[in-house]
């Protein structure tokens, strides 16, 4: 009798590439950058349905298919291959049907049609994440086609709106709120939305911040009569960053989880209200983010940053200046420079459970198929899996089979051979959980 892995076989590359070609052909219409670009994920749903509907219960097949929509044209798709043992389940989730934007004039090829160059599959969404949509759809099609008798129910959840969370209530957050994923807590949940074929076991939290500096506007030829907010912001930020790195140094667990970087705080944007080159402005704002490994508390960091700024305001005359007339206090005018820090919505990072059954089977499958296993972590953020893991209690493990080097990049591509290995990893996971 054939084993389950033999039954599932290898990825049907012709079928996979055929579906992916249709999905990439829709990528122009699923770019996510509101309010200008609102994705229409149902365009992707329809192609997946065309592949899987012939195997649905409605046509006498085994697949239970639920198309769930909360906003017009923005559907999610839940597909179940039923097992025989109640309460035994595993799921593949996170294959989102939207993409980041692409400007064709910046690319060396058309981002909105699938290009094939040997092993390379080129186009927006090949790595993130339409390639994974096609890959898991092929897995579910093969299960339905071969009809192995499984103890575990295998569930695939294709989701809307992962690339921009500014419009809530569209994708997995709404599915969780409605309880449509509650049964997935009974087994490991594999979030398929990373890259490089290795388990991604940790992600970072993110705290967006704005540091506003208020000074006094004056002619640059009379700098002694001004409070320069640009200098104030630069000197203050230097102190804030130094204190941050003292209070939140590299954590010992970061090496265990393989984080590429420790927690960081840095500026990424600079704003000021404009004016002549010969004019010292009255105010400016420096913006940036904190990327925080999951071993530190987002709340603690925010409190510390607020305390740093409060201390700087109290002792602003002690802050380093720049040159003989640079100052942040004008006693004769009873004026003091001021700093204010504000925060946009913050999110915490994730450290996957390294003792869970899901992690162990993912590692074994990866080593078996890829030839080695080297879990890694990044301080990029995946807010949706934090909600699933911490707030909802799912055993979340993450993996992906695109290329990190082209993730969200121009000239995005993936490798067909990597996706074929991903398919075999999935087959191995299912087989192990049947044991």
């Amino acid at each position: 009798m054939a084993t389950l892995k033999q039954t599932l076989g290898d990825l049907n590359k012709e079928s996979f590439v055929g579906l992916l070609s249709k999905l990439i052909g829709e990528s122009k219409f699923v770019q996510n950058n509101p309010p200008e670009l609102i994705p229409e994920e149902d365009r992707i749903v329809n192609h997946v349905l065309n592949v899987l509907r012939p195997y649905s219960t409605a046509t006498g097949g085994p697949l239970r298919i639920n198309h769930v929509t909360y906003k017009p044209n923005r559907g999610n798709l839940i597909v179940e291959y039923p097992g025989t043992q109640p309460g035994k389940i595993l799921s593949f989730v996170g294959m989102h049907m939207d993409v980041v934007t692409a400007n064709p004039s910046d690319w060396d090829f058309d981002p909105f049609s699938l290009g094939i160059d040997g092993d390379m599959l080129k186009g927006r969404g090949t790595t993130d994440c339409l390639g994974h949509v096609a890959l898991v759809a092929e897995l579910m099609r093969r299960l339905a086609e071969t009809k192995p008798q499984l103890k575990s129910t295998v569930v695939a959840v294709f989701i809307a709106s992962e690339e921009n969370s500014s419009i809530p209530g569209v994708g997995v957050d709404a599915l969780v709120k409605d309880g449509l994923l509650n049964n997935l807590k009974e087994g490991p949940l594999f979030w398929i939305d990373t890259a490089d074929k290795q388990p991604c076991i940790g992600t970072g939290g993110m705290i967006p911040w704005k540091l506003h500096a208020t000074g006094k506007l004056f002619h640059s030829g009379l700098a002694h009569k001004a409070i320069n907010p640009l200098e104030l912001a630069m000197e203050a930020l230097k102190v804030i960053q130094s204190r941050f790195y003292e209070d939140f140094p590299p954590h010992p667990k970061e090496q265990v989880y393989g984080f590429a970087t420790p927690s960081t705080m840095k500026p990424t944007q600079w704003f000021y209200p404009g004016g002549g080159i010969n004019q010292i402005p009255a105010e400016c704002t420096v913006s940036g983010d904190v990327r925080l490994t999951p071993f530190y508390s987002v709340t603690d960091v925010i409190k510390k940053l607020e305390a740093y700024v409060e201390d700087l305001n109290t002792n602003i005359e002690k802050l380093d200046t720049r040159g003989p007339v640079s100052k942040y206090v004008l006693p004769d005018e009873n004026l003091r420079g001021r700093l204010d820090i504000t925060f946009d919505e913050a999110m915490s990072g994730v450290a996957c459970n390294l003792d869970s059954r899901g992690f162990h089977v993912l590692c074994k499958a990866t080593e078996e198929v890829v030839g080695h296993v080297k879990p890694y972590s990044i301080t990029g953020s995946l807010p949706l899996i934090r909600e699933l893991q911490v707030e909802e209690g799912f055993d979340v493990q993450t993996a992906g089979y695109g290329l990190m080097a082209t993730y969200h990049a121009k000239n995005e591509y993936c490798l067909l051979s990597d996706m074929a290995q991903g398919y075999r990893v999935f087959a191995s996971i299912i087989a192990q959980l049947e044991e």
Side-chain angles (χ1 to χ4, degrees):
M1 180 181 293
T3 66
L4 177 59
K5 286 187 284 188
Q6 289 171 335
T7 298
L8 294 177
D10 292 327
L11 177 66
N12 183 325
K13 294 180 179 180
E14 182 179 352
S15 179
F16 168 77
V17 171
L19 175 58
L20 183 59
S21 178
K22 294 173 182 175
L23 302 187
I24 301 303
E26 302 285 6
S27 59
K28 180 178 181 179
F29 306 103
V30 294
Q31 295 177 95
N32 197 339
N33 188 30
E36 293 85 4
L37 295 170
I38 307 296
E40 301 174 31
E41 287 94 343
D42 274 347
R43 288 174 173 265
I44 304 300
V45 169
N46 289 336
H47 290 296
V48 176
L49 282 175
N50 286 340
V51 170
L52 298 183
R53 191 181 282 122
Y55 304 97
S56 72
T57 54
T59 59
L63 296 182
R64 296 193 290 255
I65 298 177
N66 187 10
H67 182 192
V68 184
T69 302
Y70 297 99
K71 303 283 185 181
N73 305 315
R74 306 204 61 192
N76 303 270
L77 196 62
I78 304 173
V79 182
E80 297 185 10
Y81 180 82
T84 59
Q85 186 171 318
K88 192 170 176 63
I89 197 165
L90 71 129
S91 57
F92 298 98
V93 188
M95 303 78 65
H96 56 90
M97 299 179 286
D98 59 333
V99 300
V100 296
T101 58
N103 183 350
S105 63
D106 293 337
W107 287 48
D108 297 334
F109 48 83
D110 180 7
F112 304 129
S113 64
L114 184 66
I116 303 174
D117 183 2
D119 195 32
M120 295 172 58
L121 302 175
K122 304 185 294 185
R124 175 57 89 214
T126 48
T127 270
D128 179 39
C129 188
L130 300 179
H132 291 136
V133 171
L135 184 62
V136 176
E138 277 300 304
L139 174 70
M140 300 306 288
R141 182 192 65 79
R142 183 63 176 164
L143 281 168
E145 185 178 66
T146 58
K147 298 180 181 178
Q149 188 175 66
L150 302 180
K151 291 178 285 187
S152 299
T153 294
V154 180
V155 183
V157 184
F158 305 91
I159 62 172
S161 188
E162 199 276 344
E163 292 297 1
N164 191 304
S165 59
S166 64
I167 302 177
V170 177
V172 73
D173 57 333
L175 296 172
V176 169
K177 183 179 179 181
D178 275 0
L180 295 178
L181 305 184
N182 281 351
N183 62 325
L184 305 189
K185 294 179 184 179
E186 297 174 355
L189 184 156
F190 299 95
W191 187 271
I192 309 302
D193 185 27
T194 55
D196 288 352
K197 301 187 291 187
Q198 293 295 328
C200 179
I201 56 176
T203 64
M206 200 263 281
I207 307 171
W209 54 266
K210 292 183 174 69
L211 182 68
H212 185 77
T214 303
K216 180 194 172 187
L217 183 148
F218 217 83
H219 192 286
S220 66
L222 300 168
H224 64 296
K225 292 183 176 291
I227 296 175
N228 191 324
L230 303 174
E231 293 180 349
L232 173 57
M234 286 188 281
E235 291 296 339
L237 184 58
K238 179 180 177 181
V239 172
I240 291 169
Q241 286 181 285
S242 295
R243 292 183 183 177
F244 171 86
Y245 288 114
E246 289 175 4
D247 290 335
F248 303 97
H251 194 284
K253 285 188 176 180
E254 290 164 8
Q255 288 196 0
V256 175
Y257 275 77
F259 273 93
T261 67
S263 300
T264 59
M265 182 206 177
K266 65 280 178 193
T268 58
Q269 295 178 327
W270 190 290
F271 304 93
Y272 88 109
I277 195 72
N278 62 348
Q279 189 177 53
I280 295 171
E283 61 181 345
C284 70
T285 301
V286 184
S287 300
D289 68 12
V290 172
R291 293 288 174 157
L292 195 68
T293 60
F295 316 111
Y296 288 115
S297 162
V298 165
T299 302
D300 289 348
V301 172
I302 290 174
K303 287 179 179 177
K304 283 286 189 179
L305 294 177
E306 290 173 335
Y308 303 157
V309 171
E310 182 179 356
D311 181 63
L312 285 167
N313 280 324
T314 301
N315 300 286
I316 205 160
E317 62 279 344
K318 298 178 183 178
L319 190 61
D320 284 349
T321 54
R322 300 194 169 198
V325 298
S326 176
K327 59 179 71 69
Y328 310 124
V329 179
L330 296 174
D332 294 344
E333 300 179 47
N334 197 28
L335 286 178
R336 295 172 63 87
R338 178 165 181 82
L339 299 161
D340 296 282
I341 192 165
T342 57
F343 304 94
D344 292 333
E345 184 178 359
M347 63 188 74
S348 298
V350 170
C352 292
N353 181 358
L354 304 188
D355 296 321
S356 79
R357 175 76 167 140
F359 176 66
H360 291 153
V361 299
L362 175 58
C363 285
K364 183 177 179 181
T366 301
E367 186 169 24
E368 175 186 297
V369 173
V370 179
H372 70 283
V373 59
K374 187 179 180 180
Y376 70 97
S377 299
I378 55 174
T379 52
S381 297
L382 289 173
L384 298 178
I385 69 170
R386 173 73 183 188
E387 178 184 350
L388 289 172
Q389 184 205 50
V390 176
E391 298 177 24
E392 301 295 334
F394 292 81
D395 172 20
V396 181
Q397 303 295 329
T398 68
Y401 301 92
L403 295 170
M404 191 66 75
T406 73
Y407 206 92
H408 287 195
K410 70 177 183 179
N411 299 328
E412 179 182 349
Y413 69 93
C414 69
L415 300 179
L416 179 57
S417 57
D418 287 347
M419 290 292 175
Q421 286 188 322
Y423 177 90
R424 290 172 56 206
V425 168
F426 297 161
S428 177
I429 286 171
I430 297 170
Q432 288 181 65
L433 291 171
E434 285 294 293
E435 294 173 357

